[in-house]
Amino acid sequence: TRGYPEATVWQARLNLRMPTNYGRIGERELSLRLVFEPEDGYEPPQGTIKPAAGGNEGDAEGGMEFDGAKYLDTSGGPTSNTWLLSEDPDDRKDGLWIWGLFEEPLYPFILLKLTFRAIPMPGADVDEIAPFTCYAQLSHVRDRKTGEVEILPGILTVRTVERVKADLAGLASVDLINKGAIGEIKLQPTAR
């Protein structure tokens, strides 16, 4: 993310509230140290999210598991965990791209996609939160004087697809994407 060197490590704190395999509501707090790696040549800026090297060890403290990065699934390659600076994806209008002709483009949001492996429930022998992919749209602001970036806390969501009939004969169908909140995410820079 612009305003910080590429090597900036971000502390992500996730508060999850999701159904488990046994139908209970599982509550987990995870802490992950992440690096946002930009991909060259893209506008708006975008890239991949990776666990910080050697920075995710630790024990659970007060319910917070500090080694949450071990649940981050990177096996799907560079598209598993991504970030994108963006306009409001729900209200695109004419766009803010024109400002790029005069100064650095304005992107008030950072969109995150994080993919997780199964997350075991503490104190349960076999119950866990099944693997999932979650999304977040966080406000992204920059201090004009210092250039430092602040990413405001936001809601984590999962997407489910519901196929519905689009006509009375049942010959055509449409996929509806539903978003459901599963928790919150906070990001703070830890090393610059």
Side-chain angles (χ1 to χ4, degrees):
T1 58
R2 293 180 185 170
Y4 283 106
E6 289 181 19
T8 299
V9 175
W10 292 83
Q11 186 73 43
R13 295 191 182 271
L14 286 73
N15 293 312
L16 300 174
R17 184 172 164 79
M18 299 180 66
T20 67
N21 289 340
Y22 288 126
R24 297 183 291 192
I25 298 297
E27 294 187 24
R28 287 299 307 265
E29 294 182 50
L30 301 176
S31 181
L32 301 79
R33 291 170 50 86
L34 304 171
V35 175
F36 291 71
E37 294 186 351
E39 294 180 16
D40 293 331
Y42 286 95
E43 192 64 35
Q46 60 188 293
T48 58
I49 301 171
K50 296 184 177 179
N56 286 295
E57 291 81 21
D59 296 323
E61 177 182 297
M64 174 78 68
E65 184 164 342
F66 285 98
D67 192 11
K70 68 184 175 189
Y71 304 120
L72 196 64
D73 188 352
T74 58
S75 65
T79 60
S80 295
N81 303 292
T82 60
W83 63 273
L84 167 71
L85 295 185
S86 177
E87 302 170 25
D88 185 347
D90 298 324
D91 186 21
R92 293 215 181 241
K93 295 184 185 172
D94 291 332
L96 299 171
W97 65 270
I98 190 70
W99 290 106
L101 298 175
F102 307 105
E103 61 181 70
E104 185 176 343
L106 303 173
Y107 301 107
F109 297 101
I110 183 166
L111 308 179
L112 305 178
K113 174 186 166 192
L114 298 168
T115 304
F116 288 90
R117 295 180 184 96
I119 300 174
M121 296 305 301
D125 291 337
V126 292
D127 200 10
E128 62 187 12
I129 296 171
F132 64 97
T133 298
C134 62
Y135 303 86
Q137 176 181 319
L138 308 174
S139 293
H140 172 266
V141 294
R142 177 188 328 274
D143 184 306
R144 287 195 176 273
K145 292 179 184 173
T146 66
E148 290 191 6
V149 173
E150 180 181 5
I151 300 175
L152 303 177
I155 304 296
L156 286 170
T157 61
V158 290
R159 297 176 183 166
T160 56
V161 178
E162 178 184 0
R163 182 159 285 174
V164 295
K165 294 180 182 176
D167 61 359
L168 293 175
L171 299 175
S173 63
V174 174
D175 290 338
L176 300 177
I177 298 175
N178 300 311
K179 294 180 184 177
I182 60 162
E184 299 175 347
I185 183 170
K186 296 178 186 177
L187 291 170
Q188 293 290 323
T190 62
R192 297 183 194 160

